[in-house]
Amino acid sequence: MTDLSMPQTQTRSQSNTSKIALRWLLYVLLGLFALYYLMPLFVMLTTSLKSLEEIRTGSLISLPREVSLDAWKTAWSGACTGIQCEGLRPYFWNSVLIAVPAVFLSTLIGALNGYVVAQWRFKGANIIFSLMLFGCFIPFQVVLLPMARLLGMMGIAGTIPGLIFVHVIYGLGFTTLFFRNYYVTIPSELTKAARVDGAGFMRIFWSIFLPLSLPIIVVTVIWQFTQIWNDFLFGVSFSQAGTQPVTVALNNIVNSTTGVKEYNVDMAAAIIAGLPTLLVYVVAGKYFIRGLTAGSVKG
């Protein structure tokens, strides 16, 4: 018995050793990938904390010898975006005024669309849904001229409400897709039972479906907020002085020079512009993954 058990024990030991080695190899590879992707952020952060003299004489990846927040102050309230030197501050709040209502409206309307398409079957529903999906994949450049003409006809060209309108319309295809794929996993018998009890269209939506929609609402909010906040093309095409979002102002700061290229200010401005979306993913990233997989069982 002892002789027979020895080879089995050795085999198990070798198998466990191989699993541990493979696991550590996986950790090392993942660590290298993480280091590779985080290196640009590290360079941006360290550069923004250095003086111009230290940037010129030091190494790109070296830590700052003396931490300075002057570049951050300049990027926020003193950097020139052309003829004006107000920094990112007014444009940052423009992006907030654009993103918050646009995210709210596109999420709410997308939830209603997904609810209708998934639970209230009507003739042509699949065709309408397919057309909305088709709209998701139309390049931005194709809609610039028609959208500019429409905004002019509505009298909101070059305004913050105009940019909100653009982002709501362009985001409806994605938000409808997210909510439709989530709502088809909810049994239709629930809707039928509510209708038998006398509940109407909106009562069923507000009392039954919306309370069950937290995972997909998180997904939609993160997706829409990221897309709207990081948008540059619509911002530069449909805005004017005073209504430009933070991405347009960042581009103007980087491309505006007064004789000396202030790399520390540029890096600080880039981090400020990207900080909201970074915080959103750090805080709610795990809920984003859970919400995406919540509607993957059916439909």
Side-chain angles (χ1 to χ4, degrees), residues 226-239:
T226 304
Q227 296 298 313
I228 294 171
W229 189 273
N230 291 337
D231 170 70
F232 175 77
L233 184 60
F234 287 158
V236 76
S237 300
F238 303 133
S239 66

Side-chain angles (χ1 to χ4, degrees), residues 89-296:
R89 180 170 54 187
Y91 307 98
F92 184 93
W93 296 119
N94 283 345
S95 287
V96 172
L97 293 175
I98 294 168
V100 172
V103 169
F104 174 78
L105 290 174
S106 59
T107 301
L108 179 60
I109 299 173
L112 282 168
N113 289 343
Y115 165 62
V116 171
V117 173
Q119 295 291 328
W120 295 75
R121 308 286 182 176
F122 61 91
K123 188 175 182 181
N126 291 332
I127 296 177
I128 294 176
F129 180 62
S130 299
L131 290 174
M132 295 189 72
L133 286 184
F134 177 75
C136 295
F137 301 99
I138 297 177
F140 286 8
Q141 294 82 354
V142 175
V143 302
L144 289 181
L145 289 178
M147 185 65 73
R149 183 171 178 80
L150 178 61
L151 293 176
M153 294 171 60
M154 296 174 64
I156 55 176
T159 65
I160 288 179
L163 284 172
I164 294 173
F165 177 78
V166 170
H167 287 297
V168 169
I169 295 301
Y170 205 84
L172 280 181
F174 291 103
T175 59
T176 301
L177 171 65
F178 292 153
F179 279 99
R180 181 263 177 191
N181 287 348
Y182 184 80
Y183 286 154
V184 294
T185 64
I186 300 176
S188 59
E189 288 76 12
L190 195 62
T191 303
K192 294 177 182 178
R195 295 175 68 181
V196 170
D197 290 338
F201 175 85
M202 291 304 299
R203 180 63 183 273
I204 296 173
F205 175 73
W206 287 109
S207 301
I208 299 177
F209 280 83
L210 206 58
L212 297 174
S213 304
L214 182 59
I216 202 63
I217 288 176
V218 172
V219 170
T220 307
V221 167
I222 293 176
W223 174 272
Q224 279 295 93
F225 182 81
T226 304
Q227 296 298 313
I228 294 171
W229 189 273
N230 291 337
D231 170 70
F232 175 77
L233 184 60
F234 287 158
V236 76
S237 300
F238 303 133
S239 66
Q240 59 186 8
T243 63
Q244 295 170 333
V246 69
T247 50
V248 177
L250 175 62
N251 176 75
N252 293 339
I253 288 176
V254 173
N255 291 318
S256 297
T257 58
T258 57
V260 178
K261 188 65 175 176
E262 297 179 316
Y263 293 103
N264 50 356
V265 175
D266 293 346
M267 296 299 180
I271 295 175
I272 291 173
L275 198 58
T277 53
L278 181 62
L279 290 177
V280 165
Y281 272 106
V282 169
V283 173
K286 61 180 180 180
Y287 302 106
F288 183 78
I289 301 300
R290 291 177 187 175
L292 280 179
T293 58
S296 61

Side-chain angles (χ1 to χ4, degrees), residues 59-88:
S59 172
L60 183 66
I61 60 174
S62 62
L63 293 173
R65 294 191 294 268
E66 183 178 352
V67 176
S68 174
L69 296 178
D70 292 340
W72 288 75
K73 295 176 182 178
T74 302
W76 178 248
S77 60
C80 296
T81 57
I83 60 174
Q84 296 179 333
C85 297
E86 302 174 308
L88 288 180

Side-chain angles (χ1 to χ4, degrees), residues 21-62:
L22 288 174
R23 184 177 302 171
W24 276 105
L25 178 61
L26 178 61
Y27 289 158
V28 171
L29 289 175
L30 291 175
L32 290 175
F33 281 123
L35 182 63
Y36 176 78
Y37 281 105
L38 290 175
M39 183 58 69
L41 180 60
F42 172 79
V43 172
M44 290 173 63
L45 183 59
T46 55
T47 302
S48 68
L49 299 175
K50 298 176 182 178
S51 64
L52 284 177
E53 181 63 26
E54 187 176 350
I55 292 173
R56 285 193 292 265
T57 59
S59 172
L60 183 66
I61 60 174
S62 62

